[in-house]
Amino acid sequence: MAVELKLSRSNRIYRPSEALEGKIVIKTQSSIYHYGIRLTVKGSVNLQVRGGSAGVVESFYGVIKPIPIVNRTIEIKSSGKIGLGTTEIPFSMNLRQKDENLERFYETFHGANISIQYLVSVDIPRGYLHKSLSATTEFIVESDKADLLQRPLSPEMVIFYITQDTQRHPLLHELKSGGFRVTGKISTQCSLSGTISGELTVEASAVPIQAIDIQLFRVESILLGEKIVTETSLIQTTQASDDGDVCRYLTLPIYVILPRLVTCPTTLAGPFSIEFKVAIVISFQSELSKLHKKSDPKIPRLWMAMETLPLELVRAK
C-alpha cells in the first residue's frame, strides 16, 4: 500500500496567483476503507540561529518561531472505499486567497539560517486499527508576474581594482616590492534567470597567479530581540582562470550562472533579510598556501587577494 503526490509541472514551479494542481496516486493490493482524503498546503519562513554566530548569547541559540505564509486544508474526498490496484485522484487548490491576512509569498529559498519552504501533503486516515496513508512533497514558489521588475535591468557595471592597498591584510613580500594590480568591471544587479557578467585584466603581478575565482555569497540576517544576527556563507565558486599564470593585459570574461533554490530575490523584510555578495578572488603561487590550511581563519592569507561587492538579485521579466 502506498500513496504518492504527482504535481502537474515537472519543474514544480508555481506562482502565488496560480492553482497548485496534480494528482494523488494510491496503490493498494486490496480494497480499503478510509475516513476522507485531505490535502494540506503549508508555507513558512523558518529561522534559526546557529551556535558560533557572532554576538549571540548562548541561551538564544536554536530555532525561532516560524513566520507563516500559507496554511490551508481541503477535503478531496469524503469517507468511502478505494478499490484494488492503482487509483488516481486529481486535485486543484488556489495558493492565494483574497481573505487571507498572512505574510506575503516569499520565493523559495534554502539558506544556512533562513529557509523559505512550501509543502503539499495528503493524509488518508483509516481508523485506529489501521495506519494512515500520507505523502509530502515540496513545490517551488516564484514571484507573480505582476510583482516582477518592470523596468529593464541597469546595463551599468561597477568598476573595481585590486591592489595591495585595497586589502585588509598584507600580501606576499614579493608582491609588495614588485607590484600587483588587477582591474575590471562586473554587474551588481542581476536577474535570477540571467548571469553575473563582466571582465577583468591582470595588469601587473610580481608573483605568478595560480587561479582566479568568482565567489557568490549569501548574507542572512535575523532580528533576535533587539539584536540583528548576520551570517555570511559561501554558495558557489566559479573559476575564471585555473590554467596557471595569466597573461598580463589579457581581458578575461566573467560569466557566472546563478544556482536555483539557494538564491532568491534580494529580500529586506522586518524579521529577516536575505542579501548577496560577489567576490573576485586572486590566488598566487606560493609554498605558504601548501603549508597552511586555507580554512584556518587565524592564518593571514598572504597568498590571496580579493574584492567583494554587494549584489542585488531580482526576478525580472
Side-chain angles (χ1 to χ4, degrees), residues 15-61:
R15 302 184 187 276
S17 60
E18 297 176 336
L20 181 69
E21 298 178 333
K23 55 187 178 182
I24 303 165
V25 182
I26 306 168
K27 296 180 180 179
T28 62
Q29 296 178 345
S30 61
S31 61
I32 61 171
Y33 185 84
H34 65 85
Y35 289 90
I37 300 176
R38 299 176 185 89
L39 192 76
T40 301
V41 168
K42 288 185 178 182
S44 61
V45 182
N46 303 302
L47 309 172
Q48 68 171 3
V49 177
R50 298 188 299 172
S53 298
V56 181
V57 180
E58 187 172 352
S59 61
F60 284 158
Y61 291 164

Side-chain angles (χ1 to χ4, degrees), residues 4-19:
E4 180 184 3
L5 280 167
K6 289 188 176 181
L7 299 180
S8 60
R9 299 174 184 174
S10 58
N11 61 9
R12 299 178 294 137
I13 298 175
Y14 295 85
R15 302 184 187 276
S17 60
E18 297 176 336

Side-chain angles (χ1 to χ4, degrees), residues 153-170:
L153 290 176
S154 172
E156 295 183 4
M157 294 191 176
V158 172
I159 296 174
F160 65 85
Y161 64 94
I162 309 173
T163 67
Q164 168 71 58
D165 295 334
T166 65
Q167 303 304 295
R168 295 183 178 180
H169 66 279

